[in-house]
Amino acid sequence: MASHRKSRSTGTRVAGIRTPALATAALTSVALLSQTANAAPSDDRPSLEEVEKKVDDLYRQAGSATEKYNAAKEKTSKQRKKVDTLLDDVAKRTQKLNDARTELGSFASAQYRTGASVPETATLLLADSPQDYFDQNQLMNRLTGRQKTAVDDYVTQQSETMKKRQEATEGLDTLTDSQNDLKTAKSTVQKKLATARELLSELTAEEKARLAAIEKKKQDEAARKAAELAKQQAAAEAERKRQEQAAQQQGSGSSSGSSESSPPGTSNGTQAQKALAFAQAQIGKPYVWGATGPGSYDCSGLTQAAWKAAGVTLPRTTYDQVNAGTTVSVSQAQPGDLVFFYDDISHVGLYVGDGKMVHAPKPGAYVREESIFYDGESSIYSVVRPA
């Protein structure tokens, strides 16, 4: 007799237990999801080259924000001095106004004592606009010479005081705006630097070593470029001297020949030497954004201090320093010249010669001497001779 029982699915045994086919599929899916989840972090992690580029970009953005901070700080300082002067002026004028009011008050008291029916000077003191009061009541026609002088003085002092108070109010508003800009720039710098530090902290020891190797390769290339520039400049100088000597020998006039063929800026040689000597003496001091010395510097703080030591006043920021002199080509750069970088003009160094400069590079670094091609030839914006 045939059995009517249905045959059971063979299924799959897992650890000695028979499991249904559906459960097997579920377990397979779980395993695949687990593998995918484990693989995801490594797939999403940026490459070392991407980290390097991101960090470099962050430092550049921090440098740009630093110059904005420097500009806002300078503006805030100037505005604060202006407001202090205005408030001091308001205080002095208020005192003069009070003196004039006191004198007019004495006239009002005299009117009461003499039995005058209308104490016009007292009414004047309560008027919102003394000038309107004069126009409407023709008070001036009924005052003595001394009273007229007192009234004129009162009107003048009130007008000037109101004007200065308005200027002080507007000045305080501008000061508040400057302080807000300063806070925003400071916050931006801090955030950029914090992000850069976080990215670097996540690197393994092996990745940090590879990153250092990449940086070393960049420095070697920059040094090679600097050596090329040094050769070009030496050749140009030798040719200049040769032409000068030839002109002298031909009797063309040493003074005119020398004047035309001399490289621009030779008259500032002593000042440039002083500026350069100062900058080189700062080598080894830390970069601190917003710093102007003497213990630490940011890039524009260093160049400003260097040329100040030479008796030349430069503006505080790179944006203004780039306009504080004569622009020359890279091939004509001379010791003491300012070398600016990037399209946003957010970095500057002091040219040493032979394709090198002294500069305060970035947070975590120190004032040092290195190739002007440290970030590639295309990063150079311009060269400016301050004096």
Side-chain angles (χ1 to χ4, degrees):
M1 182 176 177
S3 173
H4 295 285
R5 286 183 298 176
K6 294 181 180 179
S7 61
R8 285 191 270 181
S9 172
T10 56
T12 305
R13 290 182 178 271
V14 178
I17 303 175
R18 187 185 300 275
T19 59
L22 184 58
T24 300
L27 288 173
T28 302
S29 299
V30 170
L32 290 173
L33 288 172
S34 177
Q35 291 174 3
T36 302
N38 291 333
S42 60
D43 291 340
D44 293 340
R45 186 173 183 177
S47 67
L48 188 60
E49 289 73 16
E50 291 173 334
V51 170
E52 181 202 22
K53 184 179 184 306
K54 182 65 174 177
V55 169
D56 285 346
D57 287 344
L58 286 167
Y59 277 135
R60 280 188 53 188
Q61 291 166 18
S64 180
T66 294
E67 291 306 311
K68 292 179 180 178
Y69 169 85
N70 292 337
K73 184 177 181 181
E74 185 177 43
K75 181 179 178 181
T76 299
S77 178
K78 289 180 179 178
Q79 186 63 25
R80 183 177 287 111
K81 291 179 181 178
K82 181 179 179 180
V83 168
D84 288 344
T85 300
L86 285 169
L87 291 175
D88 186 55
D89 195 10
V90 167
K92 291 178 180 178
R93 291 187 179 280
T94 299
Q95 182 59 50
K96 290 182 179 180
L97 178 63
N98 290 336
D99 292 342
R101 182 180 287 112
T102 298
E103 186 171 6
L104 285 178
S106 66
F107 294 144
S109 298
Q111 285 179 318
Y112 279 117
R113 287 196 299 271
T114 58
S117 60
V118 181
E120 292 177 319
T121 50
T123 306
L124 168 63
L125 292 175
L126 299 175
D128 292 333
S129 174
Q131 189 60 56
D132 289 344
Y133 182 84
F134 295 151
D135 295 341
Q136 295 171 9
N137 296 276
Q138 298 179 344
L139 174 63
M140 294 299 285
N141 295 329
R142 298 192 293 277
L143 296 178
T144 66
R146 183 181 173 188
Q147 288 175 323
K148 287 180 180 180
T149 300
V151 169
D152 285 340
D153 186 44
Y154 176 77
V155 172
T156 300
Q157 294 303 331
Q158 187 187 58
S159 176
E160 288 298 319
T161 301
M162 292 175 65
K163 180 180 178 181
K164 290 299 179 181
R165 284 176 178 171
Q166 180 62 31
E167 289 180 9
T169 300
E170 293 173 354
L172 285 169
D173 290 341
T174 302
L175 178 59
T176 299
D177 292 339
S178 296
Q179 290 173 330
N180 289 336
D181 291 342
L182 187 62
K183 291 179 181 178
T184 299
K186 181 177 181 179
S187 176
T188 300
V189 174
Q190 292 173 330
K191 287 179 181 178
K192 299 295 182 184
L193 295 180
T195 303
R197 286 194 294 267
E198 183 179 355
L199 285 171
L200 291 173
S201 68
E202 293 174 351
L203 296 178
T204 65
E206 180 184 354
E207 287 173 330
K208 289 179 180 178
R210 287 170 54 200
L211 194 61
I214 293 174
E215 182 62 26
K216 177 63 167 57
K217 186 177 179 180
K218 287 173 61 177
Q219 291 177 357
D220 290 343
E221 175 61 18
R224 185 187 68 78
K225 283 277 191 181
E228 285 183 1
L229 178 60
K231 288 180 180 179
Q232 293 172 7
Q233 291 180 325
E237 177 63 11
E239 177 62 18
R240 183 190 68 80
K241 289 182 177 180
R242 186 193 68 77
Q243 291 180 359
E244 184 178 280
Q245 291 173 355
Q248 291 175 355
Q249 291 172 358
Q250 293 172 5
S252 60
S254 59
S255 61
S256 61
S258 174
S259 174
E260 292 176 0
S261 58
S262 296
T266 53
S267 62
N268 81 329
T270 302
Q271 289 177 310
Q273 289 171 6
K274 289 181 179 179
L276 184 55
F278 178 93
Q280 290 175 318
Q282 312 312 307
I283 291 177
K285 293 184 178 180
Y287 174 103
V288 174
W289 62 274
T292 56
S296 58
Y297 298 88
D298 63 17
C299 65
S300 56
L302 175 64
T303 51
Q304 183 189 47
W307 273 99
K308 182 179 180 180
V312 176
T313 301
L314 291 182
R316 175 64 182 94
T317 68
T318 54
Y319 313 129
D320 293 324
Q321 288 183 11
V322 74
N323 296 316
T326 304
T327 301
V328 299
S329 66
V330 174
S331 63
Q332 292 179 315
Q334 293 182 357
D337 289 351
L338 303 176
V339 186
F340 295 91
F341 297 86
Y342 313 118
D343 291 338
D344 60 358
I345 321 174
S346 57
H347 189 63
V348 63
L350 201 71
Y351 192 66
V352 174
D354 295 335
K356 298 178 182 179
M357 67 177 174
V358 175
H359 70 146
K362 60 184 179 182
Y366 297 83
V367 176
R368 66 193 183 205
E369 182 177 304
E370 67 179 326
S371 169
I372 63 173
F373 303 102
Y374 81 107
D375 202 20
E377 186 172 3
S378 62
S379 68
I380 298 176
Y381 180 84
S382 68
V383 178
V384 172
R385 186 158 300 141

